[in-house]
Amino acid sequence: MKVTKICCIGAGYVGGPTMAVIAKKNPNLRVTVVDVNQDRIDAWNNPDVTNLPIYEPGLGDIIKETRGRNLFFSTEIDKTIDESEMIFISVNTPTKTYGKGKGMAADLKYVELCARNIAKVATTNKIVVEKSTLPVRTAQAIKSILDNTGSAVKFSILSNPEFLAEGTAIQDLLNPDRVLIGGESEEAIEVLANIYASWVPQDKILRTNVWSSELSKLTANAFLAQRISSINAISELCEKTEANVNEVAKAIGMDSRIGPKFLQASVGFGGSCFQKDILNLVYIARSYNLHAVADYWEQVTTFNDHQKRRFADHIVNTLYNTVSGKKIGFLGWAFKKDTNDTRESAAIYVADYLLNEQANISVYDPKVPAKKIQSDLNYLNTRSVSENEKQITTFNEPYAALKDTHAIAILTEWDEFKSYDWKKIYLNMKKPAFIFDGRNLLDKNKMIKIGFEYSSIGQ
Ligand code: NAD
Ligand code: UGA
């Protein structure tokens, strides 16, 4: 099958950047990203690329180069599906919030809607690519929906999970460690492999069966998150024993079998996927009665919750066991630097806990707007919208946010935080002036010299 037109359903953090890079590297392909969300599509079409719906370093330049040439963003879903030979499904697969598997299983309703939509409108043969992260054996369900249309249209299903990380998405897409393609049809696999081969060396394009591909994605995220929970567990022990977690991480990371990456102790991992994918893995294991497997992986998220709670507890304990009426300045709200994404950010849970203790919180994040911060808290449903509005205030510059605070909590590792005038910040704070560095970002000795009471993770 020759592919000249690609459709990607879902214009989110994965669909947008991934298709932009495919379009950049394959100028002869016409790539259209479709979404039900008109506002999101309008934002992707905004002539000013600083107003794209997602912030991702390097993305704007690629959009400028490709948009209108061979990359398009549209809400014309049915038409785009029908005229494309290859369709990527890149919609969200959040944790279920209702019914069977609530709080654990992946909610596949959006994926199923896509499959039904493709089945309804397709009049020619298609390759359907699972780009969303899906439970192992989902391809079977998609195949069943597509094969029961009653039409003569033939569908090949491939699994092609995405491994990009936010904040480095463009670099990850341009230089992937590997591209994984799982499928039954060798012909379909090669069609997709050829698209990647425009810029990815052949030895980095792995071909597997579809189930290995689906399961590898969940496993990769589980292993990555496990490393963070492992170093965070050691960070707690460091705090009791005067060992330094940064030194321990360096010492173990130099063992080539362990490696240095993903050993940065923190207030806890966030992001839209680690927790959701591990819970999904745990749910799948339990559904096969593999309780030892499920318990093993579940501990990774249980420990992460503990780490976030421990950070917040430490703030309260240090501030003489009460933060009621005290102003705490938050630096950072995004779940990591270089993204405007706040899904499952540790900041949300630390804030919620401190608000329960009646703190007043002032926030500055370089890329997250006030509306988003309020909606993240309102989503938790812990207190009324008006209470959240009263207790938390967002600023668009850091010095005002930190003025008159009793303590500062660093929740995201934005580079700019390091170069602030910390002397000036100190002079404008209540004394003693505390810093709780949830990212081990600042220079401890410098902060202590200025006069701060400084504490970080695992030191
Ligand atoms: P997202 O929420 O940013 O984007 C999903 C988009 O799909 C939304 O814009 C939504 O409106 C759209 N959508 C939902 N149902 C639709 C339908 N029926 N028709 C058309 N559009 C529809 O999600 P995301 O972060 O891009 O994640 C997408 C998938 O990729 C998830 O399965 C996720 O686990 C996986 N993933 C995400 C990342 C990441 O860094 N965010 C990395 C790798 C894999
Ligand atoms: C993660 C994976 O790294 C990607 O490979 C995967 O494609 C993606 O999930 C996904 O499936 O969604 P992402 O969540 O965007 O990417 O970002 P990461 O860099 O993995 O960071 C996740 C969280 O872990 C962040 O809160 C980060 O601050 C934290 N982290 C990361 C640490 O606390 N310590 C570390 O050493 C590394």
Side-chain angles (χ1 to χ4, degrees):
M1 180 190 256
K2 188 165 161 50
V3 171
T4 56
K5 293 195 188 87
I6 290 180
C7 166
C8 172
I9 311 178
Y13 283 86
V14 169
T18 309
M19 292 303 128
V21 169
I22 287 184
K24 175 183 166 66
K25 295 293 184 179
N26 292 275
N28 49 340
L29 283 180
R30 183 186 168 94
V31 181
T32 307
V33 189
V34 295
D35 204 292
V36 281
N37 183 334
Q38 182 72 55
D39 289 346
R40 216 166 202 189
I41 292 298
D42 290 345
W44 279 111
N45 283 324
N46 194 314
D48 178 358
V49 293
T50 60
N51 287 327
L52 296 176
I54 70 176
Y55 171 70
E56 195 60 66
L59 176 63
D61 289 340
I62 298 184
I63 295 292
K64 261 195 239 165
E65 177 190 340
T66 52
R67 194 177 53 191
R69 180 189 79 182
N70 65 328
L71 178 68
F72 302 89
F73 293 92
S74 161
T75 49
E76 285 193 299
I77 301 177
D78 293 359
K79 178 171 168 277
T80 311
I81 289 173
D82 193 29
E83 64 191 21
S84 304
E85 299 96 6
M86 180 177 273
I87 299 149
F88 286 79
I89 298 178
S90 189
V91 299
N92 36 329
T93 49
T95 304
K96 269 187 96 175
T97 52
Y98 55 90
K100 192 167 171 234
K102 177 179 173 179
M104 298 293 290
D107 191 343
L108 298 181
K109 71 178 171 203
Y110 306 109
V111 172
E112 183 174 335
L113 276 171
C114 291
R116 290 191 182 281
N117 204 13
I118 296 168
K120 190 179 79 188
V121 303
T123 54
T124 53
N125 296 349
K126 312 281 180 208
I127 297 174
V128 176
V129 185
E130 298 175 349
K131 180 54 96 180
S132 296
T133 302
L134 296 170
V136 54
R137 305 230 40 111
T138 305
Q140 203 168 28
I142 294 180
K143 188 166 171 39
S144 162
I145 291 167
L146 293 175
D147 285 350
N148 283 289
T149 57
S151 75
V153 175
K154 294 225 169 344
F155 297 98
S156 293
I157 298 156
L158 298 177
S159 161
N160 172 224
E162 184 48 60
F163 296 100
L164 68 80
E166 290 177 29
T168 53
I170 298 303
Q171 277 320 308
D172 295 343
L173 287 163
L174 290 173
N175 302 298
D177 285 346
R178 77 314 208 174
V179 165
L180 179 56
I181 305 175
E184 267 176 16
S185 155
E186 268 179 40
E187 189 198 348
I189 291 176
E190 290 318 310
V191 172
L192 181 55
N194 272 336
I195 292 172
Y196 283 109
S198 304
W199 79 100
V200 181
Q202 276 294 349
D203 61 349
K204 288 192 171 183
I205 304 178
L206 295 186
R207 285 95 163 155
T208 66
N209 81 34
V210 70
W211 319 121
S212 304
S213 173
E214 287 178 338
L215 187 56
S216 297
K217 174 62 197 178
L218 293 182
T219 308
N221 275 357
F223 269 63
L224 289 168
Q226 183 203 38
R227 279 175 73 93
I228 304 168
S229 279
S230 297
I231 199 68
N232 281 343
I234 297 301
S235 77
E236 192 167 4
L237 193 54
C238 286
E239 288 164 26
K240 295 286 180 211
T241 57
E242 293 185 35
N244 179 324
V245 77
N246 291 344
E247 292 175 356
V248 174
K250 187 163 183 193
I252 64 164
M254 285 173 76
D255 184 326
S256 60
R257 294 167 302 174
I258 296 174
K261 293 181 182 168
F262 263 68
L263 288 177
Q264 177 63 53
S266 69
V267 55
F269 61 75
S272 61
C273 294
F274 279 172
Q275 173 167 296
K276 138 178 116 58
D277 293 347
I278 292 173
L279 293 176
N280 186 8
L281 192 68
V282 169
Y283 183 77
I284 294 167
R286 285 209 198 288
S287 70
Y288 288 107
N289 275 323
L290 303 177
H291 296 292
V293 178
D295 292 347
Y296 178 78
W297 287 107
E298 193 161 30
Q299 193 56 28
V300 174
T301 58
T302 306
F303 192 85
N304 196 49
D305 291 339
H306 168 75
Q307 186 77 348
K308 291 180 273 188
R309 175 67 183 237
R310 191 168 85 75
F311 182 76
D313 269 338
H314 178 57
I315 295 178
V316 177
N317 296 343
T318 311
L319 294 182
Y320 316 106
N321 291 318
T322 178
V323 288
S324 180
K326 291 180 182 168
K327 187 175 170 192
I328 317 281
F330 270 34
L331 282 180
W333 190 265
F335 80 95
K336 64 184 286 198
K337 73 171 177 179
D338 291 337
T339 179
N340 59 347
D341 195 348
T342 63
R343 289 177 288 181
E344 291 300 327
S345 179
I348 302 170
Y349 296 95
V350 173
D352 192 51
Y353 180 78
L354 295 176
L355 293 177
N356 280 345
E357 293 291 323
Q358 302 184 340
N360 295 315
I361 298 179
S362 54
V363 188
Y364 169 71
D365 185 288
K367 289 289 171 196
V368 182
K371 218 169 89 187
K372 185 77 191 105
I373 291 170
Q374 290 294 340
S375 75
D376 285 340
L377 283 168
N378 294 337
Y379 184 75
L380 295 182
N381 236 337
T382 316
R383 64 192 71 72
S384 68
V385 171
S386 62
E387 280 171 309
N388 279 334
E389 276 168 2
K390 213 171 109 201
Q391 278 183 266
I392 191 157
T393 318
T394 306
F395 291 79
N396 50 20
E397 65 93 16
Y399 296 96
L402 302 181
K403 193 169 175 345
D404 292 328
T405 51
H406 290 79
I408 295 170
I410 298 180
L411 276 308
T412 314
E413 73 283 19
W414 286 101
D415 289 331
E416 66 170 65
F417 298 166
K418 288 187 271 192
S419 56
Y420 287 172
D421 183 345
W422 283 100
K423 178 103 192 144
K424 176 174 157 187
I425 291 170
Y426 175 77
L427 292 174
N428 284 324
M429 283 176 69
K430 300 254 192 281
K431 306 296 176 320
F434 295 92
I435 293 182
F436 299 94
D437 187 346
R439 297 292 185 162
N440 293 356
L441 185 75
L442 302 179
D443 181 335
K444 178 180 174 177
N445 292 333
K446 186 175 149 198
M447 293 303 131
I448 291 173
K449 208 165 152 210
I450 290 173
F452 285 108
E453 298 288 328
Y454 174 86
S455 59
S456 53
I457 306 283
Q459 295 181 47

